[in-house]
Amino acid sequence: MVFTKVPAPLGRGGPSLDTTLMPKAALPGGSLTGQLQLLGGNADCDIDRLTLELVAQVGAAPGAGGSASEAVCARFTLPGSFRLGRREQRSLLFDVRLPWETPVTELAGAALDVTLDVRAELTATGTRGRSDLVPLRVAPLPVQDSLLAALDRLGFGFRSARLEHGLIHGTSQRLPLYQVIGLHPAPRYAAVMRELQVTFLANPGGVEVILEADKPDGLFAHGHGLLNRHLVSHGDADRRDWDATAEVWVRQMVASHGHHSLPAPSGPGPTRRRARPGRQGAEPAPSTDHGPGSVPPADEGAGDPLRGVASGKQAPVGEPAADVPHDGSPAQRGAVTAAPGDGAGQA
């Protein structure tokens, strides 16, 4: 294990810090477990606080210009303060709850071009420093995986995955960013869309699915794309006919924008092997429209999405009904209790 010396202002001879995560991929809303290894410096040191940060590299929305930047998705305060002796080695286990909207970094066992890391921060004697970033693996929830697999079987092959800054208006979104998974259109929808974009906003009761289709130029006179939202409970992952659900959702999305020459519903057809990221077919023309929905300024009354705790519990939330528009009410949003002395917060 390689220790990372906490950088200035703790200075030369200060404590060192290393972070290790469990090798198994985490799930959105699930546990993130690991270990902090501390090594004392040239003198005794009072450790006031240890925190973990969930850090993402987020790119600007298509067409908006700019480059990728770092965004802190959540911050977890580990309990307790202590004295770290000269050259003392100490190990601390942690188990924190990830935000429900944590982006996924892999699909069908293959890594996405999404950068998500964990970083430890140490505060000692009024100063603080950060350790290196440690990559985090996050797999999709059952609902997310089931829908993407169904879309793949219907001919919507994987194209790209990206993170974008902002809030999607009218949704339950809590984090200051969202993930867009882009899919090549199924052949029978190639005249209707250039790309199908899928965004998931999970909460303790279910997953809000946001679909948007990048449209070919001139197909529709108004709007930035074809948009549709659905709310699905976590328990529906094993109960739904996902192929039929995906077909209905896509057809409803296209029909709702006045396209009357819809392709015929797909039959059972031959079994297709699920496409893996990085093994796509020929790419259609690149999209120039923005991601899902409009992105208004953050709601100042929504609280600070960066605050979290080491071992918080999810607020009890009733299971929402399937396939109904999300009203964005607090009762359908995930929350994490705040650590003592830190005030209320959200992850």
Side-chain angles (χ1 to χ4, degrees):
M1 181 175 291
V2 178
F3 283 90
T4 301
K5 176 159 289 187
V6 177
L10 294 180
R12 293 177 59 87
S16 299
L17 180 65
D18 183 79
T19 306
T20 303
L21 303 179
M22 295 296 106
K24 183 179 179 180
L27 293 175
S31 292
L32 169 63
T33 57
Q35 187 177 60
L36 294 181
Q37 295 278 349
L38 287 88
L39 176 64
N42 295 335
D44 293 352
C45 180
D46 290 322
I47 306 299
D48 299 323
R49 185 165 64 175
L50 289 168
T51 59
L52 295 174
E53 291 181 334
L54 181 62
V55 182
Q57 297 299 319
V58 186
S67 58
S69 60
E70 182 179 287
V72 178
C73 302
R75 187 175 290 117
F76 310 96
T77 301
L78 304 181
S81 58
F82 54 91
R83 167 159 289 206
L84 185 66
R86 180 179 180 275
R87 299 300 179 189
E88 177 186 355
Q89 294 191 27
R90 183 176 298 205
S91 297
L92 299 174
L93 299 176
F94 62 83
D95 185 356
V96 300
R97 182 70 61 180
L98 289 173
W100 281 97
E101 295 173 16
T102 299
V104 300
T105 65
E106 58 185 59
L107 291 175
L112 301 176
D113 189 19
V114 173
T115 303
L116 194 63
D117 301 287
V118 174
R119 176 171 58 202
E121 184 177 271
L122 181 151
T123 303
T125 321
T127 61
R128 64 182 183 181
R130 293 172 171 176
S131 70
D132 291 339
L133 295 169
V134 180
L136 172 63
R137 294 173 54 213
V138 181
L141 293 166
V143 167
Q144 298 169 330
D145 189 63
S146 296
L147 176 60
L148 292 173
L151 287 169
D152 180 75
R153 290 191 294 270
L154 294 175
F156 293 88
F158 177 85
R159 181 179 184 180
S160 65
R162 64 183 182 271
L163 304 181
E164 296 184 5
H165 287 290
L167 298 176
I168 303 175
H169 179 68
T171 69
S172 62
Q173 184 183 348
R174 303 301 298 273
L175 295 185
L177 57 90
Y178 57 91
Q179 183 172 30
V180 179
I181 297 174
L183 305 176
H184 292 297
R188 62 185 176 280
Y189 287 101
V192 182
M193 66 184 74
R194 289 180 300 202
E195 180 183 71
L196 179 64
Q197 298 172 354
V198 185
T199 293
F200 297 109
L201 298 176
N203 60 63
V207 179
E208 186 173 7
V209 181
I210 302 169
L211 301 179
E212 185 176 22
D214 236 358
K215 56 182 175 19
D217 291 337
L219 181 59
F220 296 101
H222 303 287
H224 295 286
L226 317 182
L227 186 67
N228 212 357
R229 293 182 174 92
H230 305 272
L231 187 64
V232 185
S233 68
H234 294 296
D236 271 357
D238 297 325
R239 295 195 295 254
R240 277 182 178 263
D241 179 342
W242 282 103
D243 286 13
T245 295
E247 179 78 61
V248 168
W249 287 357
V250 173
R251 290 175 64 81
Q252 284 177 344
M253 177 182 60
V254 176
S256 67
H257 283 255
H259 190 68
H260 300 294
S261 56
L262 293 176
S266 62
T271 302
R272 299 178 67 251
R273 173 175 291 186
R274 184 174 181 183
R276 292 165 62 89
R279 297 190 179 183
Q280 308 94 325
E283 284 204 11
S287 167
T288 57
D289 288 341
H290 291 278
S294 58
V295 183
D299 181 2
E300 295 180 358
D304 179 5
L306 304 184
R307 302 298 297 170
V309 294
S311 58
K313 296 182 179 180
Q314 300 298 331
V317 177
E319 183 173 278
D323 291 344
V324 295
H326 203 293
D327 61 9
S329 63
Q332 293 181 342
R333 296 178 176 179
V336 179
T337 57
D342 281 338
Q346 315 168 176

